Amino acid sequence: IPEILACPTDLVSRGVKVFIWQLSNSDPIAQLNDGCKYISHTFFLATHRGLNVPRSHVFTPYLRRQKTHFGPISNDAREDLIIANDDHSNNIYGKALVGMLKDYCEQRKKPCKFQLLRGFVSEQLVDLYLKAKIIVTACLNGAERTVLEAATYGVIILSNHCDNGSDNRDFPIPREQLFSSKNDITEIAEKMLNDFEQEQQKQAQLRNLYKSYGPASLHKDTKRFMYDIMKS
């Protein structure tokens, strides 16, 4: 069952094995205390907040096939455009990050464009993915779909060493492309805009990883999980 639901103690008391699916960095203590077990959406989530979920209980996420770009990367339409996940408009830290990048783009010697991804339909998002050079996110709460979709089109992820972004198994991003302070953000963004293709190539492993995930990999994860719980 999803993490937003309480552990059904009536089932647990009857000996039913109930698994909570940890999809974000939420506190699992109450559900664990009530007797539920956990499966995880990412490797980071499997080992944080008091969880110690084995590999057999990790179901690697995949993007919908129609939203994943499998062909060669084209940079013909690229602009000095930075896009950001709409999640960042919902909290103080995110609003500060958005404001900082807007100011950076306006004050840059060669001004860049900044666009918050809100209110766009699928076709419009693809157009932005083909034009943008950077997608900014921070403290990745899970396998953020918009961020990963953009990455398969060749947009560079600019994130920080926080939450899911700190686990190289989930997001194999070179450390030098992860910011740790406000000053780092604009410095790294400037390098990504100026040396775009070189910086883009550094995330080839990440693009290939998420293109490799799909129904077949989920089927494999499910078989591994079922085998593990049947023998326990």
Side-chain angles (χ1 to χ4, degrees):
I1 62 175
E3 60 185 4
I4 59 173
L5 299 179
C7 178
T9 53
D10 57 324
L11 294 179
V12 174
S13 64
R14 298 204 304 267
V16 177
K17 291 183 179 179
V18 179
F19 290 87
I20 305 284
W21 195 357
Q22 184 79 335
L23 295 167
S24 64
N25 196 15
S26 59
D27 192 344
I29 297 302
Q31 287 93 329
L32 289 172
N33 288 340
D34 284 339
C36 277
K37 302 177 184 298
Y38 268 80
I39 60 175
S40 179
H41 194 47
T42 68
F43 291 102
F44 170 82
L45 295 173
T47 55
H48 284 74
R49 294 288 194 125
L51 292 178
N52 187 23
V53 175
R55 173 63 185 90
S56 58
H57 289 41
V58 177
F59 290 74
T60 49
Y62 72 89
L63 305 171
R64 284 182 287 174
R65 304 293 86 185
Q66 64 269 33
K67 292 205 169 186
T68 306
H69 179 70
F70 290 100
I73 300 296
S74 173
N75 292 328
D76 294 343
R78 298 289 174 196
E79 304 173 4
D80 283 350
L81 169 63
I82 299 174
I83 57 179
N85 202 342
D86 184 37
D87 289 352
H88 292 312
S89 63
N90 299 324
N91 57 72
I92 294 175
Y93 178 77
K95 288 178 180 178
L97 180 63
V98 167
M100 185 189 313
L101 288 165
K102 284 182 176 178
D103 290 343
Y104 159 70
C105 278
E106 290 174 1
Q107 297 167 11
R108 191 172 179 248
K109 187 174 181 179
K110 180 187 174 184
C112 53
K113 300 176 184 177
F114 179 85
Q115 179 63 61
L116 193 65
L117 298 181
R118 177 192 295 163
F120 293 101
V121 298
S122 295
E123 294 78 10
Q124 292 171 317
L125 285 173
V126 169
D127 184 59
L128 287 168
Y129 296 161
L130 292 169
K131 291 178 179 178
K133 288 186 177 180
I134 300 170
I135 184 163
V136 176
T137 186
C139 290
L140 285 154
N141 197 33
E144 303 285 353
R145 301 293 179 179
T146 302
V147 174
L148 293 170
E149 288 169 12
T152 66
Y153 282 85
V155 185
I156 305 173
I157 298 175
L158 172 54
S159 188
N160 58 345
H161 199 264
C162 171
D163 289 359
N164 283 269
S166 65
D167 197 312
N168 201 252
R169 293 170 296 175
D170 296 315
F171 289 89
I173 299 174
R175 187 62 185 262
E176 67 268 21
Q177 291 185 325
L178 297 170
F179 64 85
S180 57
S181 69
K182 293 180 179 180
N183 291 334
D184 289 344
I185 299 172
T186 54
E187 289 179 12
I188 297 171
E190 187 69 17
K191 184 170 180 58
M192 287 178 170
L193 292 176
N194 289 334
D195 303 323
F196 175 70
E197 292 191 356
Q198 179 181 339
E199 294 298 305
Q200 182 188 53
Q201 185 56 34
K202 292 178 181 179
Q203 293 190 12
Q205 182 183 352
L206 180 143
R207 290 191 295 275
N208 291 334
L209 176 66
Y210 282 94
K211 289 179 183 182
S212 73
Y213 291 155
S217 62
L218 183 59
H219 182 253
K220 183 178 180 180
D221 286 342
T222 303
K223 286 179 65 176
R224 184 188 293 116
F225 169 72
M226 295 302 295
Y227 176 79
D228 187 72
I229 63 171
M230 289 297 289
K231 72 176 183 179
S232 63

